[in-house]
Amino acid sequence: MGLIRTIKKVAPGGLEKGEEVGQEEQKKKLVLSLITQLGMSDEQASEVAQVSISFVKDIRAELTAKK
């Protein structure tokens, strides 16, 4: 039995959930770069990364809390 088939049998939906988490992390990294390296506004970062403004605001709040 292949690895993917085994994972699907043992943890139904687990593979898809892992992909979602990975995509979310990639979006977060992109938004962080847009904010910190390019100095984009929330609206600009939201448009470029194709995420909601609230997603960008949450990330900006995390940045502020870390300082």
Side-chain angles (χ1 to χ4, degrees):
M1 184 178 290
L3 179 60
I4 303 255
R5 191 177 294 163
T6 302
I7 291 171
K8 286 182 178 181
K9 187 175 181 180
V10 173
L15 192 58
E16 291 82 9
K17 181 66 177 170
E19 288 174 355
E20 288 175 20
V21 170
Q23 289 173 354
E24 186 84 4
E25 282 299 312
Q26 288 293 58
K27 288 179 184 179
K28 185 175 180 177
K29 287 178 183 180
L30 174 59
V31 170
L32 279 168
S33 293
L34 295 172
I35 291 171
T36 58
Q37 295 178 12
L38 300 177
M40 287 189 174
S41 69
D42 292 351
E43 292 78 13
Q44 291 170 324
S46 170
E47 188 173 325
V48 171
Q50 297 181 341
V51 296
S52 67
I53 291 178
S54 63
F55 183 85
V56 176
K57 288 181 186 247
D58 290 344
I59 293 171
R60 193 178 293 275
E62 287 178 22
L63 278 173
T64 304
K66 288 182 181 179
K67 290 182 179 181

